[in-house]
Amino acid sequence: SNEGLQSMQLDTIFSGTPGVLTRLKSQGKLDPPMLACLISEDLPLNVVSKLAFMFNFQDVFSLGGPPRLCMQLFDSENNSPYTSSWSSGFGLESVGVTQIVGMHCKDGRSLEVSVSISVAPGRLSNYTKIVRICPRYVVVNQLSQPLRLWQDNSILHPNLAIDDSNDVNESKDSRKWVVNRAEQESSGDLNQYKSLFGITTNIASPEDSGMGSKTTANSAACFIATIQPSGIISFHLPDTRADRLLRIDLGSDWNLSCSFNADMTAEYVLEISRARDIRMLPTLSTRSAPIYTVV
């Protein structure tokens, strides 16, 4: 994968332009091994130098302490209509420590990214620091079937797989996701940003082949992404105000898994049971006679 990255024509990622993950994905060159290499801490310096742009602080001396950096979700190429507030400032003194930086989007929702700071190798270590911005979460699907990932802490779930057309218990305004095949999302990145700004997410996408149009997820659950077999994608939590819990969805024939913590490093065993349509359960009428026998 390192050799593949070094052989590619990588361009400098300037401030306000899409990152390398988005660019390679749009070119159809982003495969799981390459994504794993890009988010690795061992990315070769010659690859970093192709992607990075150099900057310096204009004011070296400050009464408030060392200079600090701020970040904002903003697309200067006008490919995305979503813009966040500026993040809190973070310093460059914490070398080797990964920081989580949040950018407020709307109504308390924040986009969180991972920021790591390292020193350049060799003689450059006295002069240059490298700031790397990576996705906070990455999911790898090692199953033989596609799955959907949800942020969900709800207790009640429908007994029948639903889409947005047959759920009579929830109003359209309270629903956080819909299934609209006529308007499939063309970009998974934009699809994720929608929920950060309080916009209903369309879970139908070109990547969800084999999943079907129905799910047993609660209408208040936040859709994250559809991951194909052997697929690996980066993601962020759609709603940082809610509990940071994830659930796995294998399609309309299965109930969602139990919730597990997105921020706790651990190994979980998740039991996923088959969904049962309660309309198909055998029933016994007790109104035909006052006395009856159960056999």
Side-chain angles (χ1 to χ4, degrees):
S1 297
N2 287 342
E3 291 76 6
L5 283 174
Q6 295 173 9
S7 62
M8 294 179 60
Q9 298 296 324
L10 300 176
D11 298 325
T12 303
I13 306 299
F14 290 100
S15 177
T17 60
V20 63
L21 299 184
T22 301
R23 293 190 178 187
L24 292 180
K25 183 177 180 180
S26 63
Q27 299 172 9
K29 301 176 181 178
L30 184 61
D31 53 14
M34 188 168 294
L35 174 57
C37 179
L38 284 172
I39 63 178
S40 171
E41 296 181 356
D42 300 326
L43 194 63
L45 180 61
N46 58 343
V47 176
V48 174
S49 61
K50 292 180 180 179
L51 302 175
F53 71 95
M54 299 184 65
F55 70 95
N56 204 344
F57 293 106
Q58 295 182 358
D59 298 327
V60 180
F61 300 100
S62 174
L63 298 178
R68 304 175 71 85
L69 294 179
C70 296
M71 293 194 303
Q72 180 189 39
L73 174 64
F74 176 73
D75 187 358
S76 62
E77 296 182 352
N78 298 320
N79 292 328
S80 170
Y82 310 114
T83 301
S84 71
S85 302
W86 287 97
S87 70
S88 300
F90 60 93
L92 302 182
E93 295 77 25
S94 303
V95 176
V97 178
T98 300
Q99 308 176 60
I100 303 301
V101 179
M103 293 159 277
H104 178 262
C105 295
K106 185 178 180 180
D107 298 334
R109 305 178 187 89
S110 296
L111 170 64
E112 297 178 335
V113 295
S114 172
V115 178
S116 60
I117 301 170
S118 59
V119 294
R123 296 181 179 180
L124 294 177
S125 60
N126 296 326
Y127 310 99
T128 304
K129 290 183 179 179
I130 301 174
V131 181
R132 295 189 59 195
I133 304 171
C134 296
R136 182 171 185 184
Y137 302 101
V138 174
V139 58
V140 182
N141 181 13
Q142 295 183 334
L143 302 178
S144 59
Q145 63 185 93
L147 60 85
R148 289 191 182 111
L149 188 65
W150 299 83
Q151 181 187 2
D152 185 15
N153 63 339
S154 58
I155 299 177
L156 301 178
H157 291 82
N159 293 319
L160 176 66
I162 60 172
D163 56 22
D164 58 301
S165 62
N166 65 352
D167 186 8
V168 298
N169 296 323
E170 298 287 343
S171 64
K172 298 295 183 181
D173 295 335
S174 62
R175 175 176 293 281
K176 294 185 178 180
W177 55 269
V178 296
V179 182
N180 191 342
R181 295 289 179 179
E183 298 180 0
Q184 289 189 347
E185 297 288 348
S186 59
S187 172
D189 297 326
L190 295 183
N191 198 14
Q192 289 189 37
Y193 292 144
K194 275 188 172 183
S195 56
L196 287 171
F197 291 86
I199 303 175
T200 303
T201 305
N202 181 15
I203 70 173
S205 66
E207 291 82 15
D208 73 344
S209 58
M211 291 295 299
S213 61
K214 295 185 178 182
T215 176
T216 55
N218 190 287
S219 58
C222 296
F223 172 72
I224 296 178
T226 300
I227 309 98
Q228 292 298 316
S230 303
I232 173 173
I233 65 168
S234 58
F235 71 94
H236 57 263
L237 293 181
D239 192 348
T240 52
R241 305 168 305 174
D243 291 341
R244 309 170 76 86
L245 301 175
L246 304 178
R247 277 194 166 121
I248 302 297
D249 180 8
L250 297 182
S252 58
D253 294 333
W254 301 88
N255 293 316
L256 266 68
S257 70
C258 62
S259 302
F260 58 96
N261 197 314
D263 294 336
M264 184 177 297
T265 304
E267 183 174 324
Y268 301 94
V269 177
L270 304 176
E271 180 180 352
I272 302 180
S273 59
R274 280 196 173 273
R276 175 175 294 185
D277 188 350
I278 59 175
R279 300 175 301 178
M280 305 303 294
L281 295 177
T283 59
L284 175 65
S285 175
T286 61
R287 298 182 180 181
S288 57
I291 301 176
Y292 57 91
T293 303
V294 178
V295 229

